[in-house]
Amino acid sequence: MNIYGRDTVEQYKGRELYERPPHLFAIADAAYKAMKRRNKDTCIVISGESGAGKTEASKYIMQYIAAITNPNQRAEVERVIFQQEGERSFHSYYQLLRGAPDSLLRSLHIQKDPTAYNYIKVGGQIKSSINDGADFKAVADAMKVIGFTGDEIQTVYKILATILHLGNLTFGVDGDVTLIENTKLVSVIRELLSTKEENVEKALLYRTVATGRDAMYERLFCWIVGRINDIIEVKNYDARVHGKNTVIGVLDIYGFEIFQNNSFAIVESQIIDYFNNQIIVDLVEQQHKGIFSVLDEACMNVGKVTDEVFLQGLNGKLAKHAHYTSRKCIGHEKPISSSAAWIRSHGTCCEFLTGLETVRRCSSGGLARALLSPTDKSLEFDRDFRIRHYAGDVVYSVVGFIDKNKDTLFQDFKRLLYNSSNPVLKAMWPEGKLSITEVTKRPLTAATLFKNSMILLVENLACKEPYYVRCIKPNDVKSPLLFEQERCRHQVEYLGLLENVRVRPNQLHLQQPSLNNPLMIITIIILYKMISEFTWPNHDLPSDKDAVKRLMQGCGFDHDAAYGKTKVFIRTPRTLFSLEEQRVEMVQRIVLFLQKVWRGTIARMRYRRMRAALVILRAYRRYKVKSYIREVNRRFKNVRSMKDYGRHVKWPTPPKVLRKFEEALRSIYNRWWAWTLIKGLSPEEALQVRAKVASLEALKGQRADLGLQRAWEGNYLKRDSADTAASFTLVSSELQRKDKFMRVLFSCNVRKINRFHKAENRAVLITDRHLYKMDPLKQYKPMKSIPLYNRQYRWVTGVSVSPGKDQLVVFHTKDSRDLVVCLQGMVPANESRIGELVGTLLSHFK
């Protein structure tokens, strides 16, 4: 049945507990609503025996919370240490072996068969419905999505492979020397850890390897958790801006483990649900007398201390304890109360022992027990002791207690990992930085570390609002089809579930939302005053109690509540949930109203600021404009009297809004300046200025010398050669009489190039009506006359000049019989007259 799919999520999303059948999603949604509505930290405590489904329940709860918030990926690990028959180790091992590509397996020197590795071969023989290949891809994708780098993911794989190889190491003895028999694995481990082979061999031969495997995995797990926390941490968090940072904790409490051999081991610390169990707590952790104290004292003794010596110490200090028994120490019997109160008072205590790797119940089952004697075959001499837990008698073996309570990974092995050239692996073991001489402080024992973590846990739980999930294990063979009634009844009894069910419908409860605690009258006023017109926003009744009564009457719940002096007793949860629903509805309306008012206020404030800014901007702009105008007026005030008419005056920098105005103003000034210069010129000078301007516009950038710095005379044939000037003047006068031209525009000696590419000396005369080609050798006799234009069209259609110094000119005519000449015979020599010729013609035709 798919009862945890997306459709089920939608059925429970936003619903109250009583609206839907009991479900994990109902608990998860209630915890989420408590966090969102009342801004409270919450936690979901999941308890039950080993194999009851606690971890699966926690996964479904986190899946639900992710579905209703953000679909974030998450990585997960489960329990390890070693496997009993029918149990797998860490899923990550099987995922790596069965899901990784062949290229990755080859680089890690591992193979797909889990039974090839001592550390996981028990779990590798189990037929499981788990798809390790798909899970490997899902975990790898999740690590990439959440932000793990490629090097970090590869390091995780290398550590997993290293642990598998460590489990396959075998040792031998040659006299007094310990040797590693399969030395090839040392080279493989050296490669995976990126360190020196001799350092690996030294660390393996001089210390115990078995403890190193578990410690490496534990450190890897802690590093992954810390890395995820660093990635998802809210950066630049400010409670004043973002509000209170609330959390939902999902606590998977490990239960009794049913092992063939109940030894002493430590796992990753988890949350423990403490019942009224002080006598067992004292038995385990009381100073100087408890099991932890005796164990730590044995570990600190000088010399060879064995597990048997530790058991003797327990027998000496706990011989008279009613809940402790060993083969040499018979505990004092005490009648068992059948009441559930006794069961609850002897709840989980030292889950350090029961959750570590523990618990084999006595053959009598449940809480029944027989009178013990030194001949009791259920306890081995110098090996076993029994603790009477709330869930039954549990026998422990002391074998390995001393070794496992000491530091789980020796400093030289930590130093080996710290000196790795892999930066990710190096960062996991910062304590390896210390040299042998610097390591002087005795490391904390496993028991002390666990005790300290439990103290922090209790402090953390005290500030959270708890929700509970109890997991019942239907059978011991992990079958989905087998329901053992006696097995389930026993769990229901020692968890106190029957008493919870009996007391709820028959009594009035002191309830606060999601808590079995009193609901104060002042709390009701604060939480629910908005749902009644008599209490919102503030009541005017004689007392808060009267206000609460009026509120409950208005909602129709006065029959379901009884009133004390300061607290309200509510019979059914439905009443409280109904109040909460009305509160949520009213809060939404209040929030909308407050948003409307606040947004209006913000809009008005923004409008006033914008209007004030606009007024300031306009005033400032007027000030800048006036300042600019005043400055321009000051600088150009006396330009008329200046020699260059203000040409040397520097213009002030205009404000951005006046840039176009400044361009127009400069244009006006330039035109005034030009007009001022031109108005004092004679008509001949004015014509020359216009010609120069036309030449500059046409040839600027085309020729280096336009002759703009000299006076343009135009009729150079009268000036260049005094010997022939009289002849030219006579011919010019005759042409003026004949063709009726008004003035000479340009004349000059030229070198003509005919169509046969022959050069001949000629002269050109350009008047306002004709272009004449003359022969200077025949007293400037006209050889050809080309009209510049007649009544209908122009004969001379254009002029082309070369950019070089040759002063080549081409006169284009309408009949395509162009005249090609080079100006020559200039006095002074090489005087540039091209600019004058072009400018004069342009000015004339304009």
Side-chain angles (χ1 to χ4, degrees):
M1 293 179 62
N2 184 17
I3 60 173
Y4 299 105
R6 186 68 194 181
D7 293 341
T8 310
V9 171
E10 294 300 326
Q11 292 177 16
Y12 285 87
K13 182 179 179 181
R15 299 289 185 174
E16 301 296 344
L17 278 172
Y18 64 87
E19 293 187 75
R20 290 284 186 267
H23 198 283
L24 286 174
F25 290 171
I27 299 295
D29 195 78
Y32 179 74
K33 288 201 295 285
M35 180 188 72
K36 298 296 289 183
R37 289 177 179 176
R38 298 192 296 278
N39 206 29
K40 297 176 73 77
D41 291 339
T42 60
C43 64
I44 302 174
V45 182
I46 307 173
S47 60
E49 292 191 6
S50 174
K54 301 182 298 300
T55 303
E56 289 299 312
S58 66
K59 288 195 292 185
Y60 285 127
I61 288 174
M62 288 186 284
Q63 169 189 316
Y64 177 84
I65 295 173
I68 64 175
T69 54
N70 292 313
N72 294 329
Q73 297 277 0
R74 56 185 173 85
E76 147 204 323
V77 268
E78 307 195 7
R79 125 177 21 129
V80 74
I81 299 306
F82 68 90
Q83 310 92 59
Q84 300 294 325
E85 184 177 352
E87 182 183 35
R88 297 204 334 166
S89 181
F90 277 117
H91 292 322
S92 54
Y93 292 125
Y94 308 102
Q95 292 171 6
L96 177 63
L97 297 180
R98 291 170 174 165
D102 293 338
S103 58
L104 176 59
L105 295 178
R106 285 194 298 270
S107 67
L108 300 176
H109 304 282
I110 55 180
Q111 54 182 296
K112 289 183 175 292
D113 185 11
T115 60
Y117 300 97
N118 296 329
Y119 198 41
I120 61 170
K121 65 181 180 181
V122 175
Q125 299 170 355
I126 301 172
K127 292 184 179 180
S128 174
S129 60
I130 299 175
N131 189 336
D132 292 310
D135 289 347
F136 174 83
K137 185 179 184 304
V139 172
D141 291 342
M143 295 178 74
K144 292 177 183 177
V145 168
I146 205 169
F148 282 80
T149 66
D151 291 341
E152 290 173 337
I153 295 175
Q154 286 299 316
T155 301
V156 171
Y157 297 151
K158 288 180 179 180
I159 293 177
L160 293 176
T162 299
I163 296 173
L164 294 177
H165 290 309
L166 285 173
N168 283 1
L169 283 173
T170 57
F171 297 87
V173 178
D174 184 6
D176 295 334
V177 180
T178 304
L179 301 175
I180 299 177
E181 294 179 347
N182 41 358
T183 56
K184 290 184 178 180
L185 285 181
V186 178
S187 299
V188 172
I189 294 172
R190 188 274 311 165
E191 177 185 338
L192 295 176
L193 297 182
S194 302
T195 185
K196 297 180 180 179
E197 186 169 335
E198 58 269 21
N199 294 342
V200 175
E201 187 171 353
K202 179 180 177 181
L204 293 175
L205 289 176
Y206 290 93
R207 294 296 186 190
T208 303
V209 179
T211 57
R213 297 195 306 251
D214 299 338
M216 287 183 68
Y217 200 102
E218 178 187 353
R219 182 63 60 92
L220 174 62
F221 175 78
C222 294
W223 177 83
I224 291 175
V225 173
R227 186 78 177 87
I228 293 174
N229 289 337
D230 291 340
I231 292 172
I232 67 177
E233 180 184 8
V234 179
K235 304 299 186 293
N236 302 320
Y237 172 75
D238 187 347
R240 295 172 298 179
V241 176
H242 303 97
K244 179 184 175 184
N245 189 12
T246 53
V247 298
I248 297 178
V250 180
L251 313 178
D252 179 356
I253 301 177
Y254 51 78
F256 282 103
E257 304 288 350
I258 305 176
F259 295 150
Q260 296 299 319
N261 179 36
N262 301 313
S263 181
F264 177 89
I266 186 66
V267 295
E268 183 65 23
S269 62
Q270 303 182 38
I271 305 304
I272 305 301
D273 183 21
Y274 281 90
F275 289 78
N276 185 11
N277 194 40
Q278 191 61 43
I279 188 170
I280 303 299
V281 173
D282 291 341
L283 170 64
V284 175
E285 65 174 30
Q286 187 177 17
Q287 288 188 355
H288 308 301
K289 293 183 179 181
I291 296 176
F292 283 0
S293 297
V294 176
L295 182 59
D296 288 347
E297 182 179 349
C299 291
M300 289 187 292
N301 286 339
V302 180
K304 184 176 179 67
V305 180
T306 63
D307 296 321
E308 290 77 9
V309 173
F310 162 62
L311 182 58
Q312 292 173 9
L314 291 180
N315 293 337
K317 293 192 175 183
L318 302 176
K320 297 182 178 180
H321 199 286
H323 292 263
Y324 173 85
T325 305
S326 76
R327 192 69 177 269
K328 293 184 179 180
C329 175
I330 304 174
H332 298 272
E333 297 303 318
K334 181 177 181 179
I336 303 177
S337 170
S338 60
S339 69
W342 186 92
I343 297 175
R344 290 196 305 276
S345 68
H346 293 69
T348 53
C349 65
C350 56
E351 257 96 349
F352 180 74
L353 298 177
T354 62
L356 303 182
E357 202 185 274
T358 62
V359 189
R360 180 182 59 199
R361 293 184 180 80
C362 64
S363 58
S364 59
L367 297 175
R369 61 188 187 278
L371 182 63
L372 299 180
S373 68
T375 60
D376 186 355
K377 299 299 183 181
S378 63
L379 297 176
E380 290 288 337
F381 279 109
D382 295 329
R383 193 195 76 177
D384 296 343
F385 67 92
R386 180 186 291 121
I387 293 179
R388 187 171 303 147
H389 287 287
Y390 71 95
D393 292 350
V394 184
V395 177
Y396 297 90
S397 170
V398 298
V399 176
F401 263 56
I402 297 296
D403 288 338
K404 294 178 182 180
N405 190 46
K406 295 178 181 178
D407 185 17
T408 56
L409 196 65
F410 294 101
Q411 184 64 26
D412 52 356
F413 205 84
K414 296 176 183 177
R415 195 176 299 112
L416 169 71
L417 299 174
Y418 175 78
N419 291 325
S420 169
S421 60
N422 184 331
V424 180
L425 190 60
K426 183 184 182 76
M428 291 186 191
W429 304 89
E431 65 270 37
K433 182 179 180 180
L434 300 176
S435 64
I436 296 177
T437 56
E438 292 176 311
V439 183
T440 57
K441 186 177 179 181
R442 182 188 298 273
L444 297 177
T445 63
T448 302
L449 290 173
F450 186 85
K451 179 179 177 181
N452 293 341
S453 68
M454 290 303 100
I455 293 174
L456 293 176
L457 169 64
V458 172
E459 294 175 355
N460 197 12
L461 280 177
C463 60
K464 302 290 188 297
E465 182 174 304
Y467 293 77
Y468 297 99
V469 174
R470 305 290 192 187
C471 296
I472 304 299
K473 185 175 183 180
N475 59 74
D476 291 323
V477 294
K478 299 185 179 180
S479 171
L481 305 176
L482 179 60
F483 183 86
E484 297 178 359
Q485 184 174 354
E486 187 63 26
R487 185 82 173 81
C488 296
R489 183 193 62 79
H490 171 67
Q491 296 172 70
V492 169
E493 285 182 350
Y494 75 69
L495 287 174
L497 299 182
L498 292 177
E499 283 64 32
N500 281 337
V501 173
R502 292 192 190 103
V503 75
R504 293 184 67 87
N506 296 327
Q507 295 185 3
L508 291 165
H509 298 290
L510 302 171
Q511 291 206 356
Q512 184 175 344
S514 302
L515 281 178
N516 293 321
N517 289 325
L519 190 61
M520 304 294 292
I521 287 178
I522 187 63
T523 302
I524 291 185
I525 292 295
I526 294 174
L527 288 178
Y528 305 116
K529 63 180 181 179
M530 71 284 299
I531 66 178
S532 173
E533 60 180 333
F534 300 104
T535 55
W536 178 259
N538 296 297
H539 71 84
D540 56 358
L541 297 171
S543 66
D544 289 344
K545 183 176 179 179
D546 294 333
V548 172
K549 287 183 177 180
R550 181 63 65 88
L551 187 151
M552 298 296 284
Q553 290 172 0
C555 296
F557 299 139
D558 53 322
H559 65 282
D560 203 40
Y563 304 92
K565 291 184 178 181
T566 59
K567 301 175 184 177
V568 177
F569 296 75
I570 298 177
R571 181 181 298 276
T572 60
R574 184 180 296 272
T575 296
L576 200 56
F577 291 138
S578 179
L579 290 173
E580 189 68 20
E581 286 179 345
Q582 295 182 55
R583 175 182 177 274
V584 170
E585 181 182 353
M586 289 303 301
V587 165
Q588 292 177 352
R589 299 165 84 180
I590 292 171
V591 168
L592 289 176
F593 174 76
L594 293 177
Q595 285 179 341
K596 179 186 72 173
V597 174
W598 178 243
R599 286 172 179 169
T601 302
I602 293 295
R604 286 187 289 272
M605 293 171 60
R606 186 181 297 114
Y607 168 75
R608 285 193 289 267
R609 286 197 299 269
M610 292 174 61
R611 186 178 182 188
L614 183 60
V615 171
I616 294 172
L617 181 62
R618 288 175 176 172
Y620 180 72
R621 183 177 294 175
R622 286 195 297 270
Y623 161 76
K624 294 294 287 184
V625 169
K626 291 180 180 179
S627 298
Y628 175 75
I629 297 298
R630 291 193 191 100
E631 183 63 19
V632 171
N633 183 61
R634 184 186 68 81
R635 295 188 183 189
F636 290 87
K637 185 175 183 181
N638 299 316
V639 293
R640 293 179 184 274
S641 59
M642 295 178 184
K643 187 176 181 180
D644 62 351
Y645 299 107
R647 203 65 179 172
H648 70 284
V649 177
K650 184 178 180 181
W651 286 78
T653 302
K656 186 181 295 186
V657 70
L658 290 182
R659 287 179 181 174
K660 291 186 177 180
F661 172 76
E662 186 216 20
E663 294 176 1
L665 197 61
R666 282 176 180 264
S667 177
I668 294 172
Y669 167 76
N670 291 333
R671 293 175 67 85
W672 172 84
W673 178 80
W675 175 81
T676 303
L677 292 179
I678 293 173
K679 73 176 182 178
L681 300 177
S682 64
E684 292 76 11
E685 292 175 332
L687 287 175
Q688 192 173 138
V689 169
R690 289 191 180 93
K692 288 184 176 182
V693 170
S695 176
L696 183 64
E697 290 178 348
L699 299 178
K700 183 178 181 181
Q702 304 297 323
R703 295 183 64 88
D705 184 11
L706 298 179
L708 299 177
Q709 304 302 322
R710 62 177 179 82
W712 288 358
E713 297 184 16
N715 195 355
Y716 289 101
L717 290 178
K718 290 179 63 176
R719 191 198 74 172
D720 290 344
S721 178
D723 298 338
T724 59
S727 299
F728 171 75
T729 301
L730 183 61
V731 173
S732 175
S733 298
E734 180 63 23
L735 291 174
Q736 185 177 18
R737 182 186 63 80
K738 177 184 175 181
D739 293 336
K740 305 292 191 291
F741 65 80
M742 301 297 297
R743 64 187 183 93
V744 176
L745 299 181
F746 186 81
S747 67
C748 182
N749 290 312
V750 298
R751 187 128 176 114
K752 175 186 175 295
I753 303 172
N754 62 21
R755 62 184 178 213
F756 302 108
H757 306 292
K758 293 182 179 180
E760 298 174 324
N761 290 330
R762 295 288 186 265
V764 294
L765 170 64
I766 303 174
T767 68
D768 57 356
R769 300 184 66 124
H770 290 82
L771 167 63
Y772 299 98
K773 182 176 70 170
M774 300 178 174
D775 187 354
L777 299 179
K778 296 180 180 181
Q779 287 80 36
Y780 294 99
K781 178 182 177 181
M783 299 177 65
K784 184 177 182 180
S785 174
I786 304 173
L788 296 182
Y789 48 80
N790 58 18
R791 295 179 181 179
Q792 296 180 350
Y793 47 79
R794 296 176 182 175
W795 278 92
V796 177
T797 59
V799 176
S800 298
V801 299
S802 67
K805 296 181 179 181
D806 52 13
Q807 302 198 60
L808 176 68
V809 182
V810 179
F811 295 95
H812 302 286
T813 62
K814 185 172 181 58
D815 57 1
S816 300
R817 300 179 66 182
D818 298 344
L819 178 63
V820 181
V821 298
C822 287
L823 305 185
Q824 67 174 4
M826 279 76 73
V827 179
N830 299 323
E831 182 181 68
S832 177
R833 293 178 181 174
I834 289 294
E836 182 178 355
L837 172 61
V838 173
T840 300
L841 290 175
L842 287 174
S843 176
H844 173 71
F845 278 103
K846 282 185 178 181

